Amino acid sequence: MNETKKDKKSRIIFLEHYLTDHSDKGNPVTTEELLDAYEKQGLKVHRNTIRDDLETLKEAGIEIEDVRVGNAKGYYVSNRKFELTELMVLIDSVSSSQFVSAG
């Protein structure tokens, strides 16, 4: 299989988005789950490809932690800009403040 540079970039971006959307410290994503997610996107990858892509993301400055999940290894993004609870507080603060104008 001759993979293009564009295909590799798309695959790595998909991985970053998937980890950000579907994992956290309490819910790491296993390699098997990642393989399933890739397959649902029509991408056929090997577990070594996932390992290489995770390393590429780490080199790009994305903090990805790996932990044991039973007999498997799980991954999650640890450097999120905001946690969900922090976003909810921000949204509540802005929506309830009277000094923010609509336009």
Side-chain angles (χ1 to χ4, degrees), residues 34-47:
L34 291 172
L35 288 169
D36 289 342
Y38 275 116
E39 190 173 318
K40 287 177 182 173
Q41 290 295 310
L43 302 167
K44 188 80 170 155
V45 299
H46 189 269
R47 59 183 57 251

Side-chain angles (χ1 to χ4, degrees), residues 58-74:
K58 288 177 183 180
E59 289 171 3
I62 297 171
E63 294 176 22
I64 298 173
E65 301 292 327
D66 55 272
V67 294
R68 296 301 300 169
V69 179
N71 292 331
K73 196 179 246 190

Side-chain angles (χ1 to χ4, degrees), residues 90-103:
L90 285 170
I91 290 168
D92 289 345
S93 298
V94 171
S95 64
S96 67
S97 83
Q98 297 182 15
F99 64 88
V100 178
S101 64

Side-chain angles (χ1 to χ4, degrees), residues 18-31:
Y18 189 85
L19 287 172
T20 301
D21 293 345
H22 296 91
S23 72
D24 58 34
K25 187 175 185 175
N27 300 295
V29 176
T30 65
T31 303

